[in-house]
Amino acid sequence: MVGEHSKEFQETGRPVVGEMTGRERVMAALAGQAVDRTPVCNPTSVATVELMDLVDAHFPDANRDGEKMARLAATSYTELGFDSVMPVFTIIQESSALGCEIQWEGKDNWPTVRMSKPIWKSADDVKMPSDFLKHPDITCVLDAIRRLRQELGDEVAIIGKTMGPWTLGYHVFGVEPFLLMSLDDPGHTKLCLDRMKEITVAFGQAQIDAGADALTLPDHATGDLVSGEYYREFLRDLHTELVDEIPIPLILHICGRTVDRMDYIAQTGLAAFHYDSKNDPAESMEIVTDRIALVGNINNPQTLYANGPEQVAEEVVRNLDAGVPLVGPECAIPLQTAIENLKEIPLAVARWHADRDSSLPAASEVQDR
Amino acid sequence: MAELADIPNEFIKNEVDEFVEREDERAELIELYSQSAPHLLEIGAAIISGRNEDADRLTVEALERGTGALEVMDDGLIAGMALVGIKFRENFIFVPEVLACARAMKAGMVHIEPILSASGIEPLAKVIMGTVKGDLHDIGKNLCIMLLRGAGFEVIDLGVDTSADEFIDAVEEHDATLVGMSALLTTTMPNMGRTIDAFIDADVRDDVKIMVGGAPVTPEFADEMGADAYGDNAVECVEVAKRLVGVTG
C-alpha cells in the first residue's frame, strides 16, 4: 500500500514518519507490515454528541442519511486526528433492512433492534430479501462510503461494517431464543448461521464496491455470553470462510472477555481483532502473536467517558508497550465522551513513538495535521 | 458437620465435588444438599442440567406427595440454581446453559407460584427492576428477577429501555424499597448515573436502595455513579438485595 519511499525506508525497511498517509498506515498494520507510527482507529464508532453538534449531523438522521453519515464520520479524521473513518455507527443497518423493528432513538442515544420481537424462528425463515441492498438503511451506508472516498481521497482508511451471522442471529431470532437454540439444536443453529452468512457477504461486497478499504465484522460471541469453545464450534470455520469470500481485510469485533478464544480467532486468517479492555494487552498479544493484528483496547465507560487525558494516555501506552499494532477505543464510545479524551489518543501515540525515535515529530506537530 | 458423601444424590454430589471450589460455599452446599429429601434433590439435579420437562414433572410429583410448596422451591428449585450460579460465576457454564437452567426453574415455578401467592406470604421487599434507557438487553436482568422472586422478593419488572421517570414512578406507585438497574452496553451505562441523579432531583433518592449490574459495569463505576451496591451476577444480585434490606442468609 505504501507508495514512494525514502532512501531510509529502502535501506531499513522502516518507513519514516510522515511518509505514510493514515490510509497507508492502517492498511499496512492490517497486513502486518511496517508502519511509520502505530495507526489510531476505532473500527466500531467514534461518534459523539459534541462531534454531531460540531458538524450539524445528529443521530438519528446521521444513521439514515448518507450525507450526514459521511459528514459525522469524517470528524474522526478531521477533528480527532485518527487514521481511519467509520461511517456505520450502529450495528443495526442490515437488521432494519431485514425487517426487524428498530428503535431509532434521538440525538443522545443509540438506536437498537427490538430483540424482544424476533422476525425469524428457524432456518426456513432465513432469507435475504431480493431488494435488501436497495433498502434505505443500506443505501445510506453505501452513499456515505462513496462520499468519504470522494472527499477524503486516499488520505485516510475508510472502514465499513458488515454484521457477522452470530450477531444477526441475536437480532432476527432474539438473544434468548437464539442462545437456547444453540444449546438445544447445534446443527440447526449452524444451518441458520451458514444461511445468514450470505447477508454478511452481500452487504460487505456492496461496501467494497462503494470504496471501503476494510470491513469491521462485529460478531458478538463474547465471553460474557458464551464459552471459548462455542466460538470454536460455531464461528471459527465460518469466519475463515468469510475471509475467503470477502476480498479486503476483515476486522473482527467482539466485546467483553475473549482471551479464552483468541487462539481460535487467530487461526481464522482474519486481518485484525478489535478487542475489549477486559483483556490484558500483553496477555492478548502473547496469545495471538503475529497471526492477527489486535486493535484496541482503551476502556470506554471509565477511561474515555469518566476519566481525563492522563488516564487515556496511560492506556494507550499500555497497548503500545505490549506491541498492539493498532490503537483505539475498545468499542463504540459513549455518545457523551469528551473530544479532549479522544484527541489524546493520537497525541499519546505520537509521544510514545517520539520517546523511542528522535526522528519522529512532536505531539504538537501531529495535532496540526 | 455434613460430608460430601452424605449428599443422597450422585449427580449433585459429583457436581459439588467438581465445580464448587471455595471452601465456605462447598461446606454450605454440602450442608444444604445433605439435609434435603432425595425427591427434592432430583428436582435440583433437573435444574442444574437444564432439563425443563423433568423439572416440571418432578415438581408436580413432589407437590402431589404432600411436600410443601415452599420446601419444594427452597430445597429443590432454588437449591439447584445455587449451584448453577456458582458454575456461571466461575465460567464453567455460560449464558446458554444458564438460560436452559432458568427455563427448567420456570417450569417448576409455574406450579409453586400460585400456591405461594394464595398463602399470603409477605415478600422480603418490593424491587423495581429494569434495563436503563436506550438499552434493550434483558437476559441478565431476567435471570436476576427469576432468582429474586425465588428468594422471596416481589419484583416489578419494567422491562427494557426504562427512563428515569419510569423508575421513579414505579417506586412511588408500588412503594418499593429497592431498585435494580441493568445495562449491557458501555454506551448506555452512563444512563444509570443519570437515573440516579433523577432520583436525587425528585427528592426520592433516600427512599430507596439502588443496585446496579450488567456485563460492562464494575464496582468502581457503580460507586462513582452513586449506586448503593453492585452485583456481578444473578446469584450475587440476590445476596446484595438481601443485604440491602437487612436479611441475612
Side-chain angles (χ1 to χ4, degrees):
Chain A
M1 296 301 300
V2 184
E4 291 299 311
H5 296 303
S6 63
K7 188 167 176 244
E8 183 180 336
F9 177 84
Q10 288 163 10
E11 286 170 358
T12 65
R14 184 181 164 194
V16 176
V17 74
E19 194 170 62
M20 302 179 90
T21 64
R23 184 185 187 216
E24 289 171 337
R25 201 171 281 134
V26 169
M27 300 310 286
L30 289 177
Q33 296 167 356
V35 289
D36 59 347
R37 68 158 172 79
T38 305
V40 175
C41 75
N42 187 348
T44 45
S45 164
V46 283
T48 70
V49 170
E50 222 176 326
L51 290 169
M52 292 178 207
D53 288 340
L54 202 63
V55 295
D56 194 26
H58 300 97
F59 282 8
D61 295 352
N63 292 314
R64 312 196 75 182
D65 175 320
E67 191 276 324
K68 288 180 179 167
M69 188 180 269
R71 207 188 316 159
L72 181 57
T75 58
S76 69
Y77 174 63
T78 57
E79 303 301 325
L80 306 179
F82 281 30
D83 294 300
S84 67
V85 293
M86 161 50 76
V88 197
F89 311 113
T90 78
I91 58 168
I92 63 169
Q93 304 295 142
E94 47 272 74
S95 296
S96 175
L98 292 172
C100 292
E101 195 175 312
I102 307 292
Q103 187 163 309
W104 285 101
E105 290 288 348
K107 168 185 174 180
D108 58 353
N109 225 339
W110 286 88
T112 328
V113 175
R114 288 193 172 278
M115 286 174 282
S116 57
K117 296 180 179 175
I119 56 170
W120 292 342
K121 286 184 177 170
S122 76
D124 293 339
D125 301 323
V126 179
K127 195 176 178 190
M128 185 169 66
S130 58
D131 59 352
F132 174 73
L133 292 174
K134 292 177 183 163
H135 190 282
D137 292 325
I138 295 292
T139 54
C140 65
V141 170
L142 307 179
D143 180 35
I145 291 173
R146 278 190 287 265
R147 287 172 183 274
L148 287 164
R149 176 59 71 213
Q150 195 171 9
E151 287 163 23
L152 301 175
D154 291 338
E155 282 298 302
V156 60
I158 298 170
I159 304 178
K161 188 189 289 175
T162 183
M163 305 307 295
W166 190 265
T167 297
L168 284 176
Y170 293 156
H171 291 178
V172 296
F173 292 106
V175 180
E176 288 189 29
F178 182 67
L179 290 177
L180 279 169
M181 177 167 64
S182 70
L183 198 66
D184 294 339
D185 195 343
H188 190 81
T189 306
K190 286 176 186 172
L191 182 62
C192 292
L193 290 168
D194 193 55
R195 290 183 179 174
M196 286 189 288
K197 191 181 70 173
E198 186 193 349
I199 298 162
T200 304
V201 172
F203 191 30
Q205 187 58 53
Q207 291 176 71
I208 295 168
D209 295 343
D213 292 311
L215 290 170
T216 302
L217 176 75
D219 220 8
H220 299 88
T222 164
D224 294 326
L225 289 178
V226 299
S227 67
E229 288 307 306
Y230 244 65
Y231 179 85
R232 183 190 59 76
E233 182 181 355
F234 289 102
L235 291 175
R236 184 185 58 181
D237 294 347
L238 192 142
H239 284 168
T240 302
E241 289 165 20
L242 286 172
V243 171
D244 293 338
E245 292 178 39
I246 297 177
I248 62 173
L250 291 178
I251 306 167
L252 176 67
H253 170 81
I254 302 179
C255 301
R257 287 178 292 108
T258 48
V259 283
D260 62 349
R261 62 211 67 191
M262 277 188 196
D263 182 47
Y264 298 135
I265 290 169
Q267 293 169 18
T268 56
L270 288 159
F273 177 48
H274 186 209
Y275 79 125
D276 188 295
S277 64
K278 284 187 178 175
N279 309 282
D280 177 66
E283 183 187 6
S284 304
M285 282 299 295
E286 199 172 318
I287 295 168
V288 303
T289 60
D290 59 358
R291 293 177 294 167
I292 191 167
L294 290 181
V295 189
N297 73 349
I298 302 161
N299 175 275
N300 276 346
Q302 196 64 39
T303 307
L304 281 169
Y305 174 72
N307 289 345
E310 196 178 327
Q311 290 79 21
V312 174
E314 283 171 14
E315 288 203 25
V316 168
V317 167
R318 200 171 306 140
N319 274 282
L320 292 170
D321 285 346
V324 171
L326 297 101
V327 171
E330 61 181 341
C331 188
I333 56 171
L335 296 173
Q336 287 76 18
T337 303
I339 285 182
E340 185 190 20
N341 281 353
L342 296 169
K343 282 182 172 175
E344 179 61 22
I345 301 172
L347 296 177
V349 168
R351 281 197 304 272
W352 185 87
H353 280 282
D355 286 348
R356 279 151 189 79
D357 185 346
S358 57
S359 69
L360 297 184
S364 58
E365 291 176 55
V366 173
Q367 197 169 21
D368 290 342
R369 285 182 186 177
Chain B
M1 198 170 125
E3 303 282 339
L4 186 68
D6 297 331
I7 298 175
N9 181 295
E10 278 304 308
F11 173 79
I12 291 185
K13 194 190 298 179
N14 292 336
E15 287 279 302
V16 172
D17 197 29
E18 188 173 352
F19 298 114
V20 186
E21 290 166 353
R22 273 168 44 178
E23 282 306 316
D24 56 336
E25 286 180 340
R26 199 176 163 93
E28 199 177 315
L29 283 183
I30 289 172
E31 199 67 34
L32 170 68
Y33 295 141
S34 64
Q35 289 174 9
S36 299
H39 71 292
L40 298 182
L41 288 181
E42 283 295 326
I43 296 175
I47 299 292
I48 293 164
S49 34
R51 291 179 278 117
N52 55 316
E53 286 169 8
D54 287 345
D56 177 286
R57 176 179 55 79
L58 292 165
T59 302
V60 171
E61 285 175 8
L63 293 169
E64 282 175 352
R65 69 189 277 178
T67 311
L70 209 54
E71 193 182 348
V72 174
M73 185 178 78
D74 285 344
D75 293 354
L77 299 166
I78 294 177
M81 277 311 264
L83 211 147
V84 171
I86 290 169
K87 287 172 73 177
F88 182 52
R89 186 193 67 206
E90 302 297 334
N91 294 329
F92 289 116
I93 58 172
F94 289 80
V95 170
E97 294 84 359
V98 176
L99 286 173
C101 299
R103 181 174 59 184
M105 175 144 176
K106 201 171 179 182
M109 284 299 287
V110 163
H111 306 291
I112 302 289
E113 274 171 347
I115 301 171
L116 291 184
S117 68
S119 67
I121 294 171
E122 282 292 311
L124 292 178
K126 287 185 184 175
V127 193
I128 306 294
M129 294 285 285
T131 305
V132 295
K133 184 72 187 161
D135 202 321
L136 301 185
H137 300 86
D138 60 0
I139 286 183
K141 172 186 68 68
N142 293 347
L143 290 175
C144 289
I145 289 173
M146 182 163 291
L147 293 197
L148 284 167
R149 284 180 176 150
F153 288 88
E154 181 181 337
V155 182
I156 296 97
D157 181 9
L158 302 183
V160 297
D161 189 30
T162 311
S163 69
D165 286 346
E166 287 170 317
F167 274 111
I168 292 167
D169 290 348
V171 165
E172 290 176 340
E173 182 187 341
H174 299 281
D175 202 18
T177 52
L178 264 181
V179 171
M181 283 190 279
S182 163
L184 183 81
L185 305 173
T186 57
T187 48
T188 56
M189 276 170 64
N191 290 339
M192 288 179 162
R194 290 192 197 101
T195 304
I196 294 173
D197 289 344
F199 271 81
I200 296 169
D201 293 343
D203 204 22
V204 291
R205 177 66 185 89
D206 294 339
D207 298 345
V208 290
K209 297 288 186 188
I210 298 178
M211 53 185 183
V212 297
V217 183
T218 63
E220 294 77 23
F221 191 75
D223 197 40
E224 276 181 27
M225 286 185 302
D228 294 300
Y230 159 82
D232 182 63
N233 54 63
V235 175
E236 208 171 290
C237 168
V238 175
E239 292 167 9
V240 165
K242 284 182 174 177
R243 179 162 50 79
L244 290 175
V245 297
V247 177
T248 53

